Amino acid sequence: MNISFEIVPRTAEATEQQMDFVKQQLPFINTINIPDLLRLPIRSWEGTDYVDRSQYSYIPHVRSIDFDIKSNRLQEIIEARELDKILIVTGDPPPDRSHQVYRTHVVDLVRKIRADFPDIEIFCGFDPYRYGVKQERDYILDKFDAGCDYILSQPFFDKRLLDVYADFLPADKVYWGVSPVITEKSQAYWENVNKVVFPKSFRPDYDWNTDFAVEVLEHCQKTGSHCYFMPIRIDLERYFLPIREKLGW
């Protein structure tokens, strides 16, 4: 079982602090994800400057709309940074309209990178709230057909919905997303922006969220699937240390 921790590279110092926390407090983490957020000073592939790749698998996120399918700019980044893994997502529209974007579809970019780098591990995302289950399933299968190796999900908050997707996805190819939501404001964001429907039992507090994380990790242990933590802005010790205690890690 692989367990990934997402580091948001707000500053060099903050990135280093999060890496130090993972090294010192989270021995069960073996993979680091870094998203590519245009408002931040560090691009995802520059994470090679912060992640010890002898200790962690490293997966930088890449936005397909930032790359012209006819150019080799992404290929040049992969070669220059010696990347052996990459996550390809569509990407949100840029906050700055002067930022050049392209109509590059995820599936097309996956197919192109697979052809140019046969040995690279390609990851893609999936969103259980974006479409209906059938539409999302078909989109996931299109990504696999194009050459994607693994699928990372947006955060789940309901084990029943996770089980629906687990029923038809290959367990060893899936990273189930978990993200703590510990304030009512954060809950409202997920509901209004990401269209999440929280279960009736949900509470925006640390206890509910740590219990749910343990439930997902136990599912991963049982099925041979993987987990992907997106901790965002929380007290990392208050969230992760109870998870370690409950699992005996």
Side-chain angles (χ1 to χ4, degrees):
M1 176 174 64
N2 295 324
I3 305 178
S4 182
F5 182 98
E6 180 175 285
I7 290 180
V8 178
R10 294 183 176 89
T11 64
E13 182 181 11
T15 302
E16 291 169 351
Q17 288 175 348
Q18 290 183 77
M19 277 305 315
D20 287 343
F21 177 82
V22 172
K23 290 178 182 178
Q24 295 168 16
Q25 302 290 345
L26 305 181
F28 54 86
I29 296 293
N30 54 27
T31 303
I32 301 295
N33 282 70
I34 295 186
D36 195 44
L37 302 175
L38 299 181
R39 69 180 187 275
L40 301 181
I42 300 171
R43 301 303 297 265
S44 63
W45 48 85
E46 294 172 344
T48 54
D49 297 335
Y50 304 93
V51 179
D52 181 355
R53 296 169 70 190
S54 67
Q55 185 174 357
Y56 300 99
S57 294
Y58 162 58
I59 309 173
H61 300 198
V62 166
R63 297 154 35 91
S64 67
I65 62 173
D66 287 341
F67 295 93
D68 183 351
I69 196 75
K70 298 176 183 178
S71 78
N72 289 317
R73 189 165 75 89
L74 179 55
Q75 290 87 330
E76 291 168 359
I77 290 171
I78 291 171
E79 291 178 341
R81 293 283 174 169
E82 298 181 344
L83 302 178
D84 59 358
K85 297 174 177 61
I86 193 168
L87 169 66
I88 301 177
V89 297
T90 300
D92 295 326
D96 181 355
R97 292 188 178 182
S98 67
H99 180 84
Q100 178 70 56
V101 295
Y102 305 89
R103 295 182 179 179
T104 302
H105 195 280
V106 166
V107 171
D108 295 332
L109 189 57
V110 168
R111 189 175 290 113
K112 175 65 174 173
I113 296 302
R114 171 56 66 222
D116 292 344
F117 298 92
D119 297 327
I120 198 171
E121 288 187 352
I122 300 176
F123 297 71
C124 291
F126 86 87
D127 186 345
Y129 317 106
R130 173 171 40 199
Y131 307 125
V133 173
K134 183 182 183 302
Q135 285 179 286
E136 192 64 25
R137 180 201 64 185
D138 291 347
Y139 191 22
I140 292 168
L141 295 179
D142 286 345
K143 293 172 182 177
F144 278 134
D145 288 344
C148 170
D149 296 294
Y150 297 93
I151 294 288
L152 281 73
S153 80
Q154 283 283 6
F156 278 84
F157 302 96
D158 192 329
K159 181 62 164 48
R160 295 169 300 179
L161 181 60
L162 188 153
D163 287 338
V164 169
Y165 281 89
D167 191 51
F168 60 78
L169 293 176
D172 62 332
K173 299 297 185 181
V174 181
Y175 285 69
W176 301 108
V178 178
S179 184
V181 172
I182 57 171
T183 66
E184 292 182 356
K185 181 179 179 180
S186 180
Q187 180 181 353
Y189 172 86
W190 282 101
E191 289 173 333
N192 296 327
V193 177
N194 289 12
K195 310 306 179 185
V196 171
V197 177
F198 288 88
K200 187 176 180 180
S201 65
F202 177 78
R203 300 189 315 274
D205 58 34
Y206 279 92
D207 287 341
W208 190 96
N209 281 275
T210 55
D211 285 344
F212 182 73
V214 168
E215 187 176 7
V216 173
L217 287 167
E218 289 176 339
H219 168 86
C220 294
Q221 286 181 310
K222 180 180 179 180
T223 61
S225 53
H226 315 286
C227 189
Y228 172 36
F229 280 104
M230 290 161 271
I232 313 179
R233 291 182 182 273
I234 59 165
D235 183 330
L236 294 176
E237 289 191 7
R238 188 175 175 186
Y239 179 66
F240 281 104
L241 298 190
I243 293 173
R244 287 189 62 184
E245 292 174 1
K246 292 173 183 178
L247 290 169
W249 292 354

